[in-house]
Amino acid sequence: MNANRAKAIYEAKENIPVKLDGEQPVWIEHVDVENQMATVQIGNNPLETHTVRVDRLVES
């Protein structure tokens, strides 16, 4: 996915499923469009967040 799509998903009112590396469900918490990075929450654990390249995110 590209950074603009990740930002659109983050800003969307509806729930759009996203997976990290096509496997783990994540919630997008922040998108840095300039650097092509996103901060995501893994699953339902608010304490497990990672900053990853947006190209690792897959809309499912």
Side-chain angles (χ1 to χ4, degrees), residues 36-49:
Q36 299 288 303
M37 302 293 285
T39 302
V40 297
Q41 174 186 310
I42 307 295
N44 292 325
N45 186 348
L47 300 177
E48 189 172 357
T49 60

Side-chain angles (χ1 to χ4, degrees), residues 3-22:
N4 289 324
R5 181 60 185 149
K7 186 171 182 172
I9 290 171
Y10 171 72
E11 293 173 346
K13 294 189 188 306
E14 67 274 5
N15 180 15
I16 300 170
V18 175
K19 291 186 177 181
L20 177 60
D21 297 328

Side-chain angles (χ1 to χ4, degrees), residues 1 5 7 9 11 13 15 17 20-21 24-25 27 29-30 33-34 38 43 45 47-48 50-52 54 57 59-60:
M1 148 178 337
R5 181 60 185 149
K7 186 171 182 172
I9 290 171
E11 293 173 346
K13 294 189 188 306
N15 180 15
L20 177 60
D21 297 328
Q24 291 182 299
W27 295 97
E29 294 189 343
H30 175 75
V33 174
E34 185 175 315
N45 186 348
L47 300 177
E48 189 172 357
H50 298 278
T51 301
V52 299
V54 293
L57 301 176
E59 191 172 344
S60 55

